[in-house]
Amino acid sequence: MVKALSTNTSLEEYITSPDKQKRNNLTNVFYAISMSNNFIMQARFISEEGKEIIRVDRKNKYDKPFIVEESSLQDKSQRDYFQIVSHMKEAKIWHSRIDLNIENGKIEVPYKPTFRVAQPIIKDNKFVGMVIVNLLASEMISGLKKSTSFDHFIIDKDGYFITHPNDEYSWSRYTNSSIRLYDEFPLEAEKILAGENKGETFYSFQLNDILDNEDKVILILKPKIAYQSTLFSSNIKTSILIILLSILVNIPLAFFASIAPSKLQKSLLLANQELRKFADIIDNYVITSTTKTNSVITSVSTAFAKRYGYSKKELIGQKMNIIRHPETSNNLYSELWETIEAGKNWQGELKNLGKDGNTYYLEQNILPMKDENNRIISYMAIGNDITAKKEVERLSEIDKLTGIYNRRKLDEYMESELNRAKRYHQPLSFMILDIDHFKNINDTYGHPVGDSTLQTLAKILTDNLRKSDILGRYGGEEFLIICPETDNNQTALLAEKLRACVENTLFDDINNMTISIGVAEFEGENTVKELLSRADRALYQAKHNGRNCVVVG
């Protein structure tokens, strides 16, 4: 978003020759970007002198953004982010610390954890202003606090707490709290800051690749329960090995118990109690199952039954396909069976279905169990629930308003499909479509109607595309469709079909609406940028031709 704002034509026009109309045009661009994501708390253009020229604010994630009046704009020339970005020699993205929002020289209360992303505007090797967006960081932080197994700490490179399980100690760099890492982990603070990722009482993870800023953020997990600490500090295979070793240890203990019953039987009993306790933990917290070679379930853990919403009685005797998701490909299961029937362990992700119809994802290990003659007699499956992780991944690639792919996911698909087209010498086409006179819809009927129009259009496109086509919202009222293994002529026919469908649809509130479409086919050694540029020029030509038409570039 920051890159898009920094290179926007309206911004360039304003910088070149500023006037009121150009400022209004640029303000509308900043407002539209702020509307697109409710985690944007502030979007600004700041001049080379450090004065706010444009500022769009949002009070909280549930409110719509609003444009700050010119009389309320502030001088930010002394703020650290302006001092840093204004001295950058290249137009690169800059990330701030995660800190608390400051207004008029004071920390805003209630606290608003803020993460800033900025880029300098360089013209003729001279700094002429900057674009900066403030993002609300509280959702990410609150999400980390929901685990029942661990206390979570986030620290910066100096050991100050960004977050602490006790909110009173969070933001210790900015508040009156004197608590630091050394107070919470006196014996292991040096190890954590040095980058060690496991100790007696902690696990830690460097997050530099996620938050590329000077905080050098470290996430620390401190297990809440001793047995869960034991369970999750080792991988599942190690846990099973410990059980097997415990059983083997009990055999000589039993032998010696026959020699010295009174003393050793007591030791054996204690060892057996510990073993049962450990087995109970695995039963309650690890998703495991055992099946015959024909996939009939012979046992499941309590965690397995709970995850899928069945009782153990309902599962035992059924085939494992009772939890198979219909969208899971046959190829995946063919590969799975081919591996385990050959006596090898299979590892991978499975998409499964619960009794309630909900989808669950498991990171699965399936191990063949053999008898003394090395014949496979059953299969043991050990799973790690990654449903929450998959949901986060899904949300990160979906446009919140329309429910289709967002720009980030489209960028991934464009690169992968272009590489595939080059590798296999297959045709590939891009289609960019834009709603005609969309600004008039927003101005006349209001933004809620505009949002509803975008949602309806996304549904029309989804319902009329082929399974192989990839649809996403490219920005504002623009949509991008990637058409693999499709040349210009085929894509133009599809585009004309979509155009006609939209023209003949009766939309709520606005009745009729039209779209313009630009089409371009991959040629030779085109890059994604070049192919997009050709499709964009074709769209521009469609607009120039009177709109409501398809142009092939």
Side-chain angles (χ1 to χ4, degrees):
M1 293 179 186
V2 170
K3 283 183 177 179
L5 286 170
S6 301
T7 56
N8 188 271
T9 307
S10 298
L11 178 60
E12 188 176 339
E13 290 175 351
Y14 177 82
I15 291 173
T16 304
S17 55
D19 60 38
K20 188 173 182 180
Q21 181 58 48
K22 289 173 183 173
R23 184 179 180 278
N24 289 340
N25 292 342
L26 185 56
T27 300
N28 289 336
V29 173
F30 273 71
Y31 184 83
I33 287 287
S34 300
M35 276 291 293
S36 71
N37 188 317
N38 62 354
F39 291 111
I40 295 179
M41 294 293 106
Q42 202 172 79
R44 291 174 290 168
F45 170 60
I46 299 176
S47 72
E48 58 187 308
E49 295 86 14
K51 302 288 180 63
E52 291 179 333
I53 303 298
I54 291 164
R55 174 170 165 175
V56 180
D57 279 4
R58 178 186 266 107
K59 289 185 177 178
N60 60 64
K61 71 171 187 174
Y62 303 105
D63 290 342
K64 286 189 174 180
F66 60 91
I67 298 167
V68 176
E69 295 293 330
E70 196 169 349
S71 59
S72 299
L73 298 176
Q74 301 173 22
D75 184 343
K76 298 294 183 180
S77 59
Q78 299 307 308
R79 291 300 303 273
D80 57 346
Y81 55 77
F82 180 81
Q83 292 295 323
I84 294 169
V85 176
S86 64
H87 288 90
M88 290 170 64
K89 302 300 181 185
E90 297 179 65
K92 290 184 176 179
I93 290 292
W94 170 82
H95 299 123
S96 75
R97 291 176 176 271
I98 302 178
D99 60 15
L100 300 177
N101 195 47
I102 296 176
E103 285 299 327
N104 300 311
K106 294 182 179 179
I107 293 176
E108 193 174 0
V109 179
Y111 293 155
K112 283 188 181 177
T114 302
F115 184 59
R116 297 175 181 85
V117 183
Q119 180 169 312
I121 313 298
I122 309 292
K123 193 170 183 181
D124 298 327
N125 295 319
K126 180 186 175 188
F127 173 78
V128 294
M130 63 181 282
V131 169
I132 182 166
V133 170
N134 291 19
L135 295 169
L136 185 66
S138 58
E139 287 297 311
M140 173 190 71
I141 291 167
S142 64
L144 287 171
K145 294 181 178 180
K146 292 178 182 176
S147 169
T148 57
S149 303
F150 297 96
D151 283 326
H152 294 72
F153 306 80
I154 302 178
I155 61 165
D156 64 19
K157 63 184 179 183
D158 300 315
Y160 286 101
F161 287 108
I162 295 174
T163 66
H164 188 286
N166 183 344
D167 288 337
E168 183 182 340
Y169 302 140
S170 296
W171 311 107
S172 57
R173 182 183 286 275
Y174 307 99
T175 63
N176 294 326
S177 169
S178 60
I179 297 292
R180 290 180 63 186
L181 180 66
Y182 294 90
D183 301 296
E184 191 72 44
F185 297 88
L187 301 178
E188 298 182 303
E190 292 293 344
K191 293 181 182 178
I192 293 170
L193 292 173
E196 291 191 29
N197 60 12
K198 189 167 81 169
E200 291 294 325
T201 62
F202 76 90
Y203 305 90
S204 69
F205 305 90
Q206 303 280 340
L207 301 183
N208 296 347
D209 56 333
I210 299 171
L211 298 174
D212 182 16
N213 63 6
E214 62 176 294
D215 280 331
K216 306 300 181 191
V217 171
I218 300 173
L219 168 65
I220 305 170
L221 305 181
K222 183 179 181 181
K224 290 182 177 179
I225 302 170
Y227 279 114
Q228 288 186 355
S229 171
T230 302
L231 177 64
F232 294 111
S233 66
S234 303
N235 61 40
I236 294 170
K237 286 186 179 179
T238 305
S239 302
I240 292 172
L241 183 60
I242 290 170
I243 293 174
L244 294 174
L245 288 172
S246 300
I247 292 169
L248 292 173
V249 166
N250 283 337
I251 294 171
L253 279 177
F255 172 74
F256 286 112
S258 65
I259 302 172
S262 59
K263 183 178 179 181
L264 292 179
Q265 278 184 356
K266 185 178 179 181
S267 299
L268 181 59
L269 178 63
L270 291 173
N272 190 50
Q273 286 173 347
E274 288 299 310
L275 182 61
R276 283 178 177 275
K277 200 180 293 183
F278 196 75
D280 285 343
I281 291 170
I282 288 183
D283 181 59
N284 285 307
Y285 294 101
V286 181
I287 298 172
T288 63
S289 62
T290 305
T291 66
K292 295 179 181 178
T293 54
N294 62 356
S295 189
V296 171
I297 300 170
T298 55
S299 69
V300 295
S301 65
T302 300
F304 184 104
K306 187 176 179 181
R307 172 74 288 182
Y308 293 110
Y310 292 97
S311 67
K312 290 187 178 183
K313 188 176 180 180
E314 288 176 299
L315 289 165
I316 293 172
Q318 297 288 333
K319 286 205 167 187
M320 192 57 82
N321 61 12
I322 190 174
I323 61 168
R324 176 172 175 173
H325 198 287
E327 292 177 6
T328 305
S329 71
N330 290 328
N331 289 340
L332 178 63
Y333 279 105
S334 296
E335 178 211 322
L336 186 160
W337 278 102
E338 188 177 317
T339 302
I340 61 178
E341 285 179 342
K344 300 175 184 175
N345 296 350
W346 183 86
Q347 290 182 318
E349 292 181 5
L350 287 178
K351 183 178 182 180
N352 293 332
L353 203 63
K355 185 178 180 180
D356 56 6
N358 288 330
T359 298
Y360 300 100
Y361 292 88
L362 252 65
E363 198 171 60
Q364 194 86 342
N365 286 267
I366 302 178
L367 302 84
M369 311 302 289
K370 300 176 182 180
D371 63 13
E372 64 275 10
N373 297 316
N374 206 35
R375 291 178 301 193
I376 298 172
I377 54 172
S378 63
Y379 298 109
M380 175 181 280
I382 306 161
N384 178 30
D385 190 349
I386 56 170
T387 305
K389 173 189 168 188
K390 284 291 184 181
E391 180 62 12
V392 170
E393 289 175 358
R394 188 189 72 80
L395 290 174
S396 72
E397 61 191 29
I398 295 296
D399 176 62
K400 187 175 181 182
L401 177 65
T402 59
I404 59 178
Y405 289 127
N406 60 19
R407 175 72 176 267
R408 175 176 168 271
K409 190 62 180 177
L410 283 173
D411 287 342
E412 290 180 18
Y413 271 124
M414 284 190 285
E415 286 292 347
S416 62
E417 289 300 328
L418 194 74
N419 289 335
R420 195 161 70 92
K422 288 179 181 178
R423 189 181 306 115
Y424 298 110
H425 305 290
Q426 294 173 336
L428 170 70
S429 297
F430 287 0
M431 187 192 310
I432 299 181
L433 61 92
D434 181 90
I435 299 174
D436 296 329
H437 303 296
F438 184 69
K439 186 176 183 301
N440 291 344
I441 295 173
N442 276 334
D443 292 345
T444 305
Y445 301 99
H447 288 283
V449 172
D451 289 350
S452 174
T453 301
L454 290 168
Q455 290 168 338
T456 304
L457 176 58
K459 187 175 187 312
I460 293 170
L461 298 174
T462 301
D463 291 346
N464 287 278
L465 286 172
R466 305 162 302 181
K467 284 187 178 181
S468 59
D469 298 322
I470 301 163
L471 166 67
R473 186 177 175 198
Y474 197 58
E477 68 273 22
E478 275 192 348
F479 293 75
L480 174 70
I481 301 169
I482 304 169
C483 302
E485 301 179 32
T486 312
D487 62 24
N488 259 346
N489 294 332
Q490 295 166 317
T491 307
L493 289 173
L494 176 60
E496 181 57 33
K497 174 189 171 184
L498 297 175
R499 184 205 63 77
C501 284
V502 173
E503 184 180 26
N504 295 324
T505 297
L506 196 63
F507 288 77
D508 292 340
D509 300 308
I510 65 170
N511 294 326
N512 295 103
M513 182 190 82
T514 61
I515 58 174
S516 300
I517 305 177
V519 172
E521 181 184 354
F522 168 66
E523 294 176 355
E525 293 300 317
N526 278 160
T527 62
V528 167
K529 185 177 180 180
E530 290 166 344
L531 188 51
L532 277 175
S533 179
R534 286 173 45 219
D536 201 45
R537 287 198 300 271
L539 173 62
Y540 179 81
Q541 187 61 45
K543 295 284 189 183
H544 185 72
N545 291 352
R547 297 180 169 84
N548 192 25
C549 64
V550 176
V551 170
V552 177

